[in-house]
Amino acid sequence: MDRSGPVAFDEAFVQGLRQNGYVVGQNVTIEYRWTEGKSERLPTLAGELVSQKVDVIVTAGAASVRALKAATTTTPIVMASSQDAVADGLVASLARPGGNVTGRSVYAPELTPKRLELLKAALPGLSRVGILWNSQNPGGLNQFREAEAAGSALGIGITSLDARFPDDLEKVMARAAQVGAAAILTLSDSSTITFRAEIAAAAHRYRLATMFSNEAYLAGGGLMSYGPDLAETFRLAAAHVDRILKGANPADIPVEQPSRFELVINLKAAEQLGLTIPPSLLLQADKLIE
């Protein structure tokens, strides 16, 4: 995991453990390993955890799961959050994962089109959106293609902003502004959550509205998010850990998906951008940040 990710995720997971009868320091011990924003450390950290002979490893994101799968085929791995776990090759299927990986997936094909629809509702006349993504993320290309198809259906031009974080942010935001984009849709991965504040700040400098995949990103100053509650996802992942510790085989534990998605609007960010969010959209919001 990345220590610079929201602390709420770790707290939610620990809460989930308590709800399943585990108290850290009493009947369960957690060994933490952090990438510190450097994905190249993943293989080394994965090897360290496997050598510790832990009972189960909890992580998030395709890159982390891939590193762990390369390090062990026997130690159970629980994805506290993943994108398209099947397309990314992390599990054989959601119903029967196979191998040593199970957990939770936050991917749904309708999310990207919905996020673009919400951006268009917030910005009447929106004609172009920049898609900020990391092509090194195994699932990024599928999500980008979804955005292209959804943009075409909505009459919105799509510009690819493939970036290395955080070094390329200024360059890609300037490019988005130059081609006439009024908004940025950020595809979720470990890099974008780590550098969420830098993404929002760079977008603000170019007067670009931002849409993210969940509320955790808005702590960095983004405008809107639509997606599952990731803290809840981490809390529920503890139930997978409980089943494994009680003897269940991860190959037979279905990968679960969220059943509810929420729209969050950051009114402070809207004010900074000089935007007036339409009342109809405010009424749709599950949460307003003021």
Side-chain angles (χ1 to χ4, degrees):
M1 293 179 66
D2 189 337
R3 193 197 308 269
S4 57
V7 175
F9 294 171
D10 180 44
E11 293 175 345
F13 176 69
V14 172
Q15 180 190 25
L17 287 177
R18 286 198 302 269
Q19 291 171 344
N20 284 278
Y22 301 94
V23 178
V24 177
Q26 293 184 18
N27 58 355
V28 69
T29 299
I30 301 179
E31 288 279 346
Y32 288 99
R33 293 295 185 276
W34 309 101
T35 65
E36 307 293 354
K38 299 176 181 178
S39 58
E40 64 271 18
R41 299 185 62 199
L42 284 170
T44 299
L45 299 179
E48 288 180 7
L49 286 175
V50 172
S51 69
Q52 291 285 324
K53 300 188 182 303
V54 296
D55 295 304
V56 59
I57 300 174
V58 180
T59 191
S64 298
V65 178
R66 282 174 180 257
L68 287 164
K69 287 187 67 174
T72 178
T73 58
T74 56
T75 303
I77 299 166
V78 171
M79 307 175 294
S81 172
S82 66
Q83 289 297 316
D84 193 346
V86 176
D88 292 346
L90 307 181
V91 297
S93 72
L94 297 182
R96 294 188 63 82
N100 61 327
V101 178
T102 186
R104 296 186 59 81
S105 173
V106 297
Y107 170 80
E110 66 270 22
L111 288 176
T112 297
K114 182 64 174 180
R115 288 165 183 149
L116 287 173
E117 286 179 17
L118 291 167
L119 275 174
K120 192 167 186 177
L123 302 166
L126 178 68
S127 61
R128 180 162 295 276
V129 171
I131 306 297
L132 182 64
W133 66 302
N134 175 8
S135 62
Q136 294 182 333
N137 176 1
L141 182 58
N142 285 339
Q143 292 182 67
F144 177 73
R145 287 173 174 165
E146 288 174 356
E148 284 188 311
S152 178
L154 291 167
I156 298 173
I158 297 297
T159 296
S160 172
L161 303 176
D162 181 13
R164 301 296 175 268
F165 298 92
D167 297 343
D168 291 349
L169 283 175
E170 196 72 22
K171 176 178 68 178
V172 298
M173 294 299 177
R175 179 168 176 262
Q178 288 167 1
V179 299
I184 301 294
L185 170 59
T186 298
L187 302 186
S188 180
D189 74 2
S190 58
S191 296
T192 56
I193 191 68
T194 298
F195 297 107
R196 59 197 180 281
E198 289 84 351
I199 292 170
H204 281 185
R205 285 194 289 274
Y206 290 91
R207 313 297 291 176
L208 297 167
T210 49
M211 168 64 80
F212 293 98
S213 59
N214 58 75
E215 184 185 357
Y217 280 91
L218 300 192
L223 176 64
M224 294 193 297
S225 68
Y226 180 76
D229 180 343
L230 269 200
E232 177 74 354
T233 296
F234 272 71
R235 184 183 68 80
L236 293 173
H240 283 73
V241 173
D242 175 51
R243 293 180 64 181
I244 290 169
L245 292 178
K246 289 177 177 174
N249 185 341
D252 301 324
I253 304 175
V255 174
E256 296 180 351
Q257 294 179 290
S259 58
R260 179 178 177 274
F261 306 114
E262 57 183 14
L263 170 63
V264 183
I265 301 175
N266 186 345
L267 296 179
K268 291 188 293 186
E271 183 179 1
Q272 291 171 356
L273 290 167
L275 293 177
T276 299
I277 304 297
S280 58
L281 189 58
L282 294 176
L283 289 173
Q284 294 181 47
D286 297 279
K287 183 176 180 180
L288 300 174
I289 299 175
E290 300 183 89

